[in-house]
Amino acid sequence: MASNFSGALRLTDLDDFITPSQECIKPVQVERLPGRSGPIKVQSDGSYVQIGIDGEATQLKKAQITLNDCLACSGCITSAESVLITQQSQEELLRVLEANNKLPEGHEEKKLVVVSVSPQSRASLAARYHLSIQETARRLTGFLKELGVHHVFDETFARDFSLLQSQKEFVDRFRRREEKGTVPMLASACPGWVCYAEKTHGSYILPYISTTKSPQQVMGSLIKDYYSKQSGIRPHHVYHATIMPCFDKKLEASREDFYNDVYSTRDVDCVITSGEVEVMLDKEGLSLADMQPQDLDPMFPVSRDGQLVNHIGGGSGGYLEHIFRYAAQELYGVSVEHIEYKTLKNKDFREATLEVDGEIKLKFALAYGFRNIQNLVQKVKRGRSPYHFVEVMACPSGCVNGGGQIRPQDGEQPKELLPRVEALYNSLNTRRPEDNPLLDQLVSDWLGGADTEKAHAMLETAYHAVEKMNNALTIKW
Amino acid sequence: MRGNLENVASLTGHLDRVWHVSWNPDGKLLTSCGGDKTIRVWGTHSKSNEGQGSDWTCKAVLQDGHSRTVRRISWSPCGSLLASASFDGTTCIWSQKNAEFECITTLEGHENEVKSVCWSPSGSLLATCSRDKSVWIWEVDHEDDDYQCVGVLSVHTQDVKNVCWHPHKEVLASCSYDNTIKIFQEEDDDWCCVCTLTGHEATVWGISFDKTGTRLASCSDDNTVKIWQDCNPDGQDGGSSRKTSWKCICTLSGYHTRTIYDIDWCKHSGLLATCSGDDTIHVFQENSVGSSYKPGFSLMACVTNAHSEDINSIRWNPNGDGFLASCGDDGFVKVWKYSQC
């Protein structure tokens, strides 16, 4: 079995193929019932029962390791992958939909099922089924609605908020750049990178990681906070799934930071990858090209005329591009027409500089793939990084090449497929996030203004260093 | 047996098991490292190698570089730098000026124990491998003492025990607890695995190329030595360099009775030396008759109880004068002289 996680995560031992029961050392919290505990007996089928004072046997629950336990623990060796399969997979989504479809309208358990689709996944599906992006969006909506999904949204809408927030955050950090831990600001949209930094570099690196939520998690806030309120439904009655180019996004959705204690619900309940959508179609013997096209839901439109649009700056979201332009304007009054990228060691490590009057004012970089992350991290640790902002992504070639994207078919080489997916991704018109048609309305209605406590809560997150544990079980030859 | 191994020196000083021995490029200095977290540099007073039998002394002890066991050391081809791999997860680069050694760089990045380190023949690349199952390739900028990671290869499924460069090409071999050997090359500005050699039935502990680089010898926990042949050394057969194909052409079994921990192929004499958990050192030579694709090897020399415990490493002096160094769990570093009877 090959691992699906990005290289950075594979290195952090997050995907050893050992089921947790074999080697997991995480102390599991067991709920203790009040009163004296009685003797425990093992039944002939291997299950455990406890004998109460009244002599009645109650079945004991198995202790379960959640994905969140794995993320917070440096003890192993987890098989986060096998944990994931039980919590976040296309099977889980289908199970939820099937159960939901059986419930009559108005039943209190009935959920509103919402799916947000990432632009990278749309590009992957478009390449697989030889469709345009617009066609892919409409036919995917048709397929999902046939399965019982109520609404399908475009995640580009949430990325507007991520980009705007990142722009503001950068300028703020840059103005305070004499303070420690401000620049370089390191992009936070890639959960593989974030998880690697938390598990292995802790306090050296975490202050530099942008506190802006990724598009997936902004979408989560939009759905579970704004949308549920607008629709008069409580957050846990909305089931929110996302379609993503990346397995690591499943880990992101499982983070405790994105869990709502009041309603016991996650901002994103289930993440499925582009490849898992293909599996869902294959299972039904369907091609996306056969599906009845349907429009995306108009609740979160990305343009005024209903057409899909994209952001400039490449398949990882365009963080460098947007922050660079905004910062040049905001800090130096320079309007940037075109950004010139200089390729350094390899094609996944490029830099862009802003010169004003012959002096370098801003120095940004793209660092994709683990080897480039590694060199960057060592430089930042030693205070020798020349950069103000770095768009860090764990996958070589960035998110369009994510580990959850659909594999090449019929003898096509990965080298041939990637340019096709990139071309499709770049085939849409681009616009600035400031041109989001609902931007002003949401900032006032949802966030109560640009710099409010609510805005911070909805658009920002935090990172937590994972303590290294030296347990006898983890020491090996 | 037509050869003889004579023990010419037994060097004491290490306070714990000795993991690895390595000669500097001109063969005048011998270095060893071990569980006492130190690296020891040994030399003789005499200018020629003739005196190697008698007057070995410890010329330097390199400490304070590592906080745990030093597992393996490698000299740069120019002889001025020494790299050391440690269980503390780091690799140190030591610079030699006159008789002094100074740790000038510490390479971090591996998640846990670094198991081996090796300089490429040109000295411009360094390879490391670790229990974290990855092999890393670093590019060296000698002017700035700058080491940039240019490749992280996570293709082994278990602990990677050893890495070894081809004698004159930028081709790297690694071996692992997953029982395989892998061959790596750079393609389109990225390093990738171009071949996986399967055949050993247990951990592959050591690998060594012959002087031409068209053969590779490996030793294993399955108590055998295997000889592998590169069947397409020039990357012909379609022109793609990916067409590298290594085949096992010979298996030496029945000699060692326990794990064979290390193997070294002498670049001058073609002699193969092996050392083992059975406390023996064996020396093999290829029979002159027989086709190059079906070679036979004969045992030339065997020393039982060469050390009183597991022998961890063995290295031929690069001078080609028949001196062989070994080290073991007994804390000894020993020097041997091979001669034909």
Side-chain angles (χ1 to χ4, degrees):
Chain A
M1 177 170 157
S3 172
N4 291 309
F5 287 119
S6 65
L9 281 188
R10 262 178 272 158
L11 203 70
T12 56
D13 262 355
L14 211 80
D15 71 326
D16 255 347
F17 311 124
I18 300 167
T19 46
S21 57
Q22 281 180 22
E23 228 176 322
C24 180
I25 51 105
K26 179 82 186 168
V28 180
Q29 200 177 345
V30 180
E31 244 179 82
R32 295 197 64 152
L33 298 170
R36 267 188 60 204
S37 54
I40 294 171
K41 282 189 175 167
V42 186
Q43 302 297 97
S44 55
D45 63 355
S47 66
Y48 293 79
V49 295
Q50 185 162 19
I51 313 299
I53 310 163
D54 52 2
E56 199 178 319
T58 37
Q59 184 96 30
L60 287 175
K61 269 197 270 178
K62 263 194 205 169
Q64 286 229 325
I65 311 289
T66 68
L67 191 52
N68 208 44
D69 292 327
C70 298
L71 287 177
C73 174
S74 71
C76 46
I77 322 213
T78 73
S79 85
E81 193 140 4
S82 73
V83 177
L84 272 176
I85 287 162
T86 59
Q87 293 172 3
Q88 298 214 20
S89 62
Q90 81 272 11
E91 276 115 13
E92 174 67 8
L93 177 63
L94 289 172
R95 192 190 63 71
V96 167
L97 283 168
E98 201 184 320
N100 208 46
N101 291 343
K102 282 188 189 142
L103 293 173
E105 279 312 318
H107 190 279
E108 60 168 33
E109 295 280 298
K110 185 132 180 143
K111 295 198 170 176
L112 187 80
V113 183
V114 171
V115 174
S116 308
V117 184
S118 70
Q120 292 90 351
S121 292
R122 259 197 314 264
S124 179
L125 287 161
R128 166 71 177 84
Y129 296 104
H130 301 279
L131 299 167
S132 70
I133 294 289
Q134 200 80 36
E135 274 294 289
T136 304
R138 288 165 49 81
R139 292 187 193 269
L140 180 61
T141 307
F143 172 60
L144 292 169
K145 291 207 167 168
E146 211 156 278
L147 290 174
V149 173
H150 298 99
H151 298 293
V152 180
F153 299 125
D154 179 4
E155 200 215 30
T156 310
F157 188 92
R159 199 161 71 188
D160 286 332
F161 284 84
S162 279
L163 289 168
L164 290 166
Q165 179 67 22
S166 301
Q167 292 176 182
K168 269 174 44 189
E169 184 187 350
F170 175 75
V171 168
D172 172 58
R173 280 174 180 258
F174 188 82
R175 288 191 169 129
R176 296 186 290 117
R177 65 187 175 283
E178 298 304 320
E179 293 171 32
K180 217 173 151 6
T182 49
V183 292
M185 178 167 114
L186 308 173
S188 61
C190 171
W193 145 242
V194 169
C195 188
Y196 171 74
E198 287 184 322
K199 280 216 167 197
T200 62
H201 295 293
S203 54
Y204 293 106
I205 295 296
L206 296 185
Y208 296 98
I209 299 181
S210 161
T211 54
T212 301
K213 278 186 192 174
S214 72
Q216 168 173 283
Q217 294 311 136
V218 171
M219 199 72 202
S221 299
L222 268 168
I223 298 292
K224 291 287 173 105
D225 190 77
Y226 178 73
Y227 177 76
S228 69
K229 266 184 210 137
Q230 290 289 308
S231 319
I233 304 170
R234 284 191 294 177
H236 58 291
H237 286 142
V238 181
Y239 187 84
H240 180 209
T242 59
I243 298 177
M244 287 286 149
C246 168
F247 278 84
D248 301 358
K249 282 280 167 193
K250 299 181 188 228
L251 303 179
E252 182 179 70
S254 309
R255 290 172 71 92
E256 211 155 77
D257 310 74
F258 306 130
Y259 183 76
N260 180 330
D261 285 324
V262 180
Y263 292 103
S264 307
T265 184
R266 295 189 182 288
D267 292 347
V268 176
D269 295 284
C270 181
V271 178
I272 61 170
T273 62
S274 318
E276 285 169 327
V277 174
E278 185 199 25
V279 172
M280 285 165 73
L281 283 157
D282 284 353
K283 198 181 146 213
E284 307 283 326
L286 297 169
S287 161
L288 197 60
D290 304 332
M291 302 314 300
Q292 278 301 316
Q294 281 201 43
D295 286 334
L296 281 157
D297 286 282
M299 180 82 187
F300 296 117
V302 293
S303 65
R304 287 179 207 283
D305 59 5
Q307 292 295 303
L308 288 175
V309 291
N310 207 345
H311 296 118
I312 195 171
S316 303
Y319 286 86
L320 183 148
E321 191 97 13
H322 286 84
I323 296 171
F324 192 91
R325 285 165 193 273
Y326 178 82
Q329 184 69 52
E330 195 72 13
L331 297 165
Y332 300 102
V334 176
S335 166
V336 177
E337 283 292 312
H338 171 72
I339 299 177
E340 196 73 54
Y341 290 92
K342 191 173 124 198
T343 301
L344 300 176
K345 275 253 166 300
N346 50 64
K347 63 176 168 27
D348 281 330
F349 193 27
R350 287 179 289 160
E351 65 178 37
T353 49
L354 177 76
E355 273 189 38
V356 179
D357 302 328
E359 203 181 317
I360 291 176
K361 295 290 187 190
L362 293 176
K363 201 168 172 116
F364 283 23
L366 300 173
Y368 296 169
F370 191 66
R371 55 184 171 156
N372 293 318
I373 288 184
Q374 194 51 42
N375 292 321
L376 174 74
V377 162
Q378 295 305 333
K379 280 218 173 80
V380 173
K381 249 183 170 176
R382 287 160 203 216
R384 281 166 55 180
S385 156
Y387 301 112
H388 299 118
F389 172 77
V390 187
E391 184 178 300
V392 186
M393 300 288 158
C395 292
S397 303
C399 300
V400 273
N401 189 37
Q405 298 286 65
I406 299 169
R407 306 267 173 250
Q409 314 280 322
D410 309 323
E412 189 178 20
Q413 293 299 310
K415 269 184 221 165
E416 297 159 358
L417 175 62
L418 182 59
R420 279 210 303 130
V421 179
E422 280 173 340
L424 282 160
Y425 181 89
N426 293 323
S427 66
L428 294 175
N429 290 330
T430 59
R431 65 135 173 80
R432 301 183 320 143
E434 289 86 344
D435 299 334
N436 179 313
L438 285 186
L439 182 66
D440 294 337
Q441 190 196 326
L442 277 176
V443 169
S444 66
D445 290 2
W446 178 37
L447 304 175
D451 205 19
T452 58
E453 207 170 292
K454 176 86 174 180
H456 291 295
M458 290 296 116
L459 303 177
E460 293 173 10
T461 183
Y463 310 103
H464 324 281
V466 178
E467 288 282 318
K468 284 247 175 192
M469 230 198 289
N470 264 327
N471 181 294
L473 274 173
T474 67
I475 294 167
K476 288 183 180 168
W477 277 119
Chain B
M1 282 184 272
R2 289 169 289 133
N4 181 47
L5 266 186
E6 183 198 351
N7 182 211
V8 292
S10 292
L11 311 175
T12 56
H14 279 292
L15 304 173
D16 199 341
R17 69 181 68 184
V18 190
W19 277 115
H20 190 59
V21 281
S22 175
W23 299 92
N24 76 336
D26 69 12
K28 296 228 165 70
L29 293 175
L30 177 65
T31 41
S32 58
C33 61
D36 62 5
K37 308 169 199 169
T38 70
I39 299 161
R40 282 171 189 266
V41 183
W42 313 86
T44 56
H45 291 297
S46 53
K47 290 242 169 5
S48 76
N49 283 319
E50 292 306 308
Q52 277 189 350
S54 49
D55 56 347
W56 283 89
T57 52
C58 180
K59 299 202 157 182
V61 180
L62 285 57
Q63 43 201 0
D64 303 329
H66 292 292
S67 60
R68 288 182 64 192
T69 289
V70 184
R71 183 63 178 86
R72 210 172 279 263
I73 39 187
S74 173
W75 282 91
S76 66
C78 64
S80 63
L81 297 171
L82 182 69
S84 57
S86 165
F87 285 179
D88 66 12
T90 69
T91 305
C92 283
I93 309 293
W94 307 79
S95 165
Q96 184 193 10
K97 284 201 186 90
N98 304 320
E100 299 283 301
F101 287 81
E102 185 196 355
C103 177
I104 52 166
T105 305
T106 302
L107 307 180
E108 294 173 41
H110 278 296
E111 269 296 286
N112 43 44
E113 291 90 330
V114 186
K115 294 297 180 74
S116 183
V117 60
C118 187
W119 290 91
S120 72
S122 69
S124 62
L125 296 170
L126 187 74
T128 56
C129 63
S130 159
R131 183 167 76 80
D132 68 17
K133 305 177 216 162
S134 67
V135 171
W136 292 39
I137 295 166
W138 310 77
E139 198 171 81
V140 188
D141 178 345
H142 286 286
E143 268 173 35
D144 301 342
D145 288 327
D146 188 37
Y147 292 75
Q148 290 251 353
C149 164
V150 293
V152 176
L153 302 150
S154 300
V155 288
H156 278 294
T157 57
Q158 295 291 346
D159 188 2
V160 188
K161 297 295 186 189
N162 210 343
V163 279
C164 178
W165 288 96
H166 187 284
H168 47 261
K169 285 188 198 164
E170 289 194 340
V171 171
L172 182 74
S174 65
C175 60
S176 162
Y177 182 52
D178 70 9
N179 306 354
T180 71
I181 299 162
K182 292 189 185 273
I183 310 286
F184 303 97
Q185 256 173 279
E186 194 178 21
E187 288 186 358
D188 299 339
D189 99 357
D190 208 353
W191 283 82
C192 44
C193 175
V194 291
C195 196
T196 300
L197 285 57
T198 54
H200 277 298
E201 288 161 11
T203 303
V204 187
W205 280 98
I207 38 179
S208 180
F209 283 98
D210 75 344
K211 65 179 165 202
T212 66
T214 56
R215 281 187 182 173
L216 181 73
S218 59
C219 62
S220 162
D221 197 33
D222 65 12
N223 304 352
T224 72
V225 167
K226 285 184 186 288
I227 310 293
W228 311 80
Q229 173 86 34
D230 183 356
C231 301
N232 187 27
D234 302 319
Q236 291 158 354
D237 192 17
S240 160
S241 54
R242 267 193 183 270
K243 289 269 177 190
T244 324
S245 77
W246 289 80
K247 291 202 171 76
C248 179
I249 51 167
C250 180
T251 300
L252 304 176
S253 56
Y255 294 100
H256 285 288
T257 55
R258 300 192 64 179
T259 305
I260 309 172
Y261 285 116
D262 203 12
I263 188 161
D264 193 33
W265 208 327
C266 179
K267 305 293 183 277
H268 296 273
S269 61
L271 291 167
L272 267 178
T274 55
C275 64
S276 159
D278 63 12
D279 307 344
T280 70
I281 295 172
H282 283 57
V283 176
F284 300 91
Q285 186 175 47
E286 187 176 354
N287 304 334
S288 49
V289 285
S291 93
S292 64
Y293 278 82
K294 267 207 154 94
F297 283 80
S298 298
L299 182 64
M300 301 300 286
C302 169
V303 182
T304 53
N305 297 315
H307 285 257
S308 61
E309 291 177 59
D310 290 9
I311 310 175
N312 295 315
S313 168
I314 193 149
R315 282 294 175 273
W316 290 103
N317 187 305
N319 277 332
D321 51 17
F323 283 99
L324 185 67
S326 66
C327 64
D329 280 1
D330 61 5
F332 279 96
V333 173
K334 293 190 179 185
V335 183
W336 309 81
K337 171 80 175 139
Y338 177 82
S339 52
Q340 298 270 21
C341 297

